[in-house]
Amino acid sequence: KGFGLTLRVMDPAEAQTLGLTNANGFLVLSVEKNSAADKLQIKPNDVLLALNGVEVTSATQLQELVRGLVASAKVFRAGAIVSLQAPLTI
């Protein structure tokens, strides 16, 4: 099972409209319920910027990053950069 996101590549004009300084990142269109992305609390309309501290710059890189355990994400949400952490399960 995948990471649980439907994404779209950001274009420079869209990034500027949202207040981002560059177009690196992916716009989150939807999040699958109970997926790894949902557990990280990624939400539709977030812009995914980084996973596990690695800036996401391409679709190929994103696919590589989600193959393993994703413990953290950085997103741009409602005008601010937000750091998200996966809940610790014992």
Side-chain angles (χ1 to χ4, degrees):
K1 189 171 181 171
F3 188 60
L5 291 177
T6 303
L7 302 168
R8 183 169 51 78
V9 176
M10 296 282 296
D11 66 56
E14 186 175 35
Q16 187 175 23
T17 299
L18 292 172
L20 286 165
T21 55
N22 63 50
N24 287 345
F26 293 83
L27 181 64
V28 176
L29 301 176
S30 66
V31 180
E32 187 177 320
K33 189 169 176 64
N34 297 318
S35 66
D38 188 36
K39 289 178 179 144
L40 275 168
Q41 299 182 3
I42 297 173
K43 308 233 179 273
N45 298 317
D46 283 351
V47 178
L48 183 61
L49 302 173
L51 293 173
N52 290 341
V54 178
E55 188 175 327
V56 179
T57 58
S58 72
T60 303
Q61 179 198 35
L62 179 61
Q63 289 174 331
E64 290 291 323
L65 289 169
V66 298
R67 282 195 181 133
L69 174 68
V70 178
S72 66
K74 182 169 70 170
V75 299
F76 185 78
R77 179 183 293 165
I81 293 177
V82 179
S83 294
L84 305 170
Q85 297 288 322
L88 178 64
T89 55
I90 304 173

